Amino acid sequence: MLGQLTAMMDEGYKLGKGDVKTAAQLVLQDENVALSDYFTKGAARTSGKRQVMPKSVNQRKYLEAIEQRDIVFGIGPAGTGKTYLAMAQAVAYLLAKRVSRIILARPAVEAGEKLGFLPGDLQEKVNPYLRPLYDALYDMLDIERADRLLERGTIEVAPIAFMRGRTLNDAFVILDEAQNTTSEQMKMFLTRLGFGSKAVITGDITQIDLPTGRTSGLIEAMKVVGNIEGIEFVRFDDKDVVRHQLVQQIVKAYDAYGSGSRQ
């Protein structure tokens, strides 16, 4: 690991915060890994504000799947970069004119809350549910540029219910928190894909907030479309968590607690 990092620095690479830890994790996952492939090649470049690179084997697999497939599912716990990396790819595709628009969708379902009890008109009711998508977008693009693209409709952020009846051509479409879609919503979303489009579906099947008795559209889709050629599933685990180091420990602790309670 140290030899490869030294060689990269000799070639001009500047080590960033967390790079040594990331390199150690990559070597642990694959002792034959070429670190330069992760740190200096294949980065999803945006407007210069962010240069996003995979920090685990699964993240690299995920980015490659998005490049090669038209429909990709990213499934795993919080903090594994599922939505962030998909957003980076979407922005890179838009800036390179490989698509003409980005559509970001999310089900407006959260634990114990109902839209009707929130104040304001429909847009004000759904905005809190869509906030994480705006946060990721503003992390990729300057606020002024992002706002211009949103105003023109080049980038659209909407609840999944707004997708009904549309055909999405020449678009990069991201469905976030897909574990909270119903069966009907997931089928509707997957059949919106038009010519020249890509779809990335992200979710965590351990955090389903649907009412009791409702089947998660994500879990059903894993069974229904899992064997279709051209659709790829990438699964993340606690080793892929790239948030604060405590988040990795929290994910592990909850997994262990869940296993114990089931027994």
Side-chain angles (χ1 to χ4, degrees), residues 171-187:
F172 197 118
V173 193
I174 299 173
L175 173 58
D176 190 35
E177 298 289 330
Q179 75 275 7
N180 288 330
T181 59
T182 63
S183 300
E184 297 80 8
Q185 286 175 330
M186 179 60 77
K187 180 181 177 184

Side-chain angles (χ1 to χ4, degrees), residues 105-118 125-133 159-160 175-182 185 202 204 207-212:
R106 224 172 184 243
V109 176
E110 294 296 339
E113 296 180 17
K114 294 194 178 356
L115 287 176
F117 293 103
L118 293 174
K125 286 176 189 288
V126 299
N127 268 345
Y129 297 96
L130 305 174
R131 191 74 250 168
L133 294 175
I160 189 174
L175 173 58
D176 190 35
E177 298 289 330
Q179 75 275 7
N180 288 330
T181 59
T182 63
Q185 286 175 330
T202 71
D204 178 0
Q207 295 192 37
I208 297 172
D209 297 317
L210 288 169
T212 306

Side-chain angles (χ1 to χ4, degrees), residues 14-249:
K14 293 183 179 179
L15 279 182
K17 184 178 180 182
D19 280 357
V20 174
K21 180 185 176 189
T22 297
Q25 289 177 329
L26 289 168
V27 172
L28 278 172
Q29 291 175 45
D30 178 5
E31 60 184 20
N32 297 314
V33 68
L35 293 178
S36 61
D37 285 347
Y38 285 82
F39 289 98
T40 63
K41 298 177 186 175
R45 294 176 181 271
T46 61
S47 61
K49 185 178 178 184
R50 277 281 181 269
Q51 183 175 341
V52 179
M53 291 173 288
K55 295 189 184 323
S56 73
V57 172
N58 284 331
Q59 286 193 355
R60 172 120 183 148
K61 194 187 302 182
Y62 185 53
L63 289 176
E64 289 174 349
I66 293 173
E67 187 71 36
Q68 296 164 8
R69 309 291 188 192
D70 287 339
I71 297 179
V72 176
F73 287 78
I75 301 170
T80 49
K82 306 180 299 293
T83 304
Y84 196 84
L85 291 172
M87 187 76 79
Q89 287 286 71
V91 171
Y93 268 60
L94 181 68
L95 296 177
K97 295 183 167 50
R98 296 175 68 179
V99 296
S100 62
R101 57 185 171 151
I102 297 172
I103 297 173
L104 311 170
R106 224 172 184 243
V109 176
E110 294 296 339
E113 296 180 17
K114 294 194 178 356
L115 287 176
F117 293 103
L118 293 174
D121 60 21
L122 181 60
Q123 194 61 43
E124 290 171 321
K125 286 176 189 288
V126 299
N127 268 345
Y129 297 96
L130 305 174
R131 191 74 250 168
L133 294 175
Y134 284 107
D135 290 344
L137 179 62
Y138 288 133
D139 209 29
M140 302 289 164
L141 291 168
D142 294 326
I143 291 176
E144 295 80 7
R145 187 173 194 181
D147 285 342
R148 282 200 308 273
L149 293 170
L150 285 164
E151 285 170 15
R152 292 205 300 259
T154 304
I155 299 177
E156 180 182 346
V157 184
I160 189 174
F162 287 24
M163 300 293 106
R164 190 170 298 282
R166 303 173 64 181
T167 300
L168 307 174
N169 293 316
D170 199 27
F172 197 118
V173 193
I174 299 173
L175 173 58
D176 190 35
E177 298 289 330
Q179 75 275 7
N180 288 330
T181 59
T182 63
S183 300
E184 297 80 8
Q185 286 175 330
M186 179 60 77
K187 180 181 177 184
M188 179 268 291
F189 176 82
L190 291 174
T191 54
R192 296 308 92 197
L193 200 65
F195 294 108
S197 291
K198 278 187 180 289
V200 179
I201 299 97
T202 71
D204 178 0
I205 57 175
T206 68
Q207 295 192 37
I208 297 172
D209 297 317
L210 288 169
T212 306
R214 297 301 300 269
T215 302
S216 165
L218 178 57
I219 290 179
E220 184 177 83
M222 292 165 67
K223 301 171 187 171
V224 176
V225 303
N227 294 322
I228 295 179
E229 191 174 346
I231 297 178
E232 187 161 344
F233 286 76
V234 179
R235 289 172 173 80
F236 298 89
D237 55 34
D238 59 87
K239 292 190 292 294
D240 301 301
V241 172
V242 290
R243 290 183 183 167
H244 191 288
Q245 60 183 4
L246 285 175
V247 174
Q248 202 167 27
Q249 300 302 315

